[in-house]
Amino acid sequence: LREKVPNSPCAKCYALKTRYVFPNVRAALARRHATYLADPDAWAVAMEASIRKKGLPEFRWFDAGDIIDVRMLRLIAKIARQLPDIAFWLPTQQRAEVREFLASEVRPDNLTIRLSAPLIGLELRPATQGLLAGIPVSTVRTKGTEARKSEWQCPAPEQGHKCVNCRACWDNDVPVVSYKGQ
């Protein structure tokens, strides 16, 4: 479990300190996880319907957690293709699954797969070669450090921890998003 790795973003995740620790929330998350495992295709149909019903211009996959396997990533891409007017953002640590996906499929233009740095303070750049070439990344800065000039500094901490008008994370053309360390 990543939350047990010292200096990982998962070890300091807000989800371990907020509503995600409540038994009812944990139970709901477990039900969603079990739904996917029981019938991935039915999960995808339900997710597409739910996203479509919300009618939002963008959607973030997993505010805590990650893709389970490459099949889930393929289903997420299928949903993105079926909802071309919605911008999707998928933050992930699952590099092997992303590589496997990209070996056989083209990422939909409206799906930003953003690889997350595995450790706080790790300088991460998008790959320039191989299957992950050009896939955008995100980093978490060490507390008290500033983003480099080449990085987009997430403004959420100064905006009540909300994106407000920022959509950098959803933008494939923003190579590095830097989040403030805690």
Side-chain angles (χ1 to χ4, degrees), residues 25-157:
V25 174
R26 293 179 70 83
L29 292 171
R31 277 193 311 276
R32 291 183 195 114
H33 186 87
T35 299
Y36 172 78
L37 292 175
D39 190 342
D41 293 322
W43 172 86
V45 169
M47 285 302 300
E48 180 189 343
S50 176
I51 295 165
R52 187 182 303 274
K53 183 177 179 182
K54 289 179 195 250
L56 300 172
E58 68 273 321
F59 183 82
R60 174 186 175 177
W61 291 96
F62 309 111
D63 57 349
D66 209 331
I67 56 175
I68 295 171
D69 53 24
V70 72
R71 184 172 185 187
M72 181 179 269
L73 179 50
R74 287 188 176 113
L75 290 169
I76 287 171
K78 180 180 178 184
I79 292 167
R81 286 184 194 98
Q82 291 170 334
L83 301 171
D85 295 332
I86 297 175
F88 290 92
W89 163 33
L90 174 62
T92 184
Q93 295 265 351
Q94 305 299 88
R95 285 157 178 76
E97 286 79 357
V98 173
R99 273 190 207 93
E100 185 177 342
F101 168 79
L102 293 172
S104 62
E105 291 194 42
V106 174
R107 177 194 49 78
D109 290 339
N110 64 328
L111 172 60
T112 298
I113 300 170
R114 190 170 292 280
L115 298 174
S116 305
L119 297 172
I120 295 171
L122 181 68
E123 291 187 21
L124 191 62
R125 296 278 177 253
T128 57
Q129 299 176 351
L131 290 171
L132 298 179
I135 296 294
V137 300
S138 64
T139 63
V140 177
R141 298 184 310 279
T142 306
K143 187 175 183 177
T145 62
E146 293 297 319
R148 292 183 295 274
K149 290 181 183 180
S150 61
E151 299 174 341
W152 175 263
Q153 185 165 316
C154 174

Side-chain angles (χ1 to χ4, degrees), residues 14-25:
Y14 62 88
L16 299 174
K17 304 171 199 155
T18 60
R19 295 184 179 159
Y20 292 83
V21 299
F22 296 158
N24 62 328
V25 174

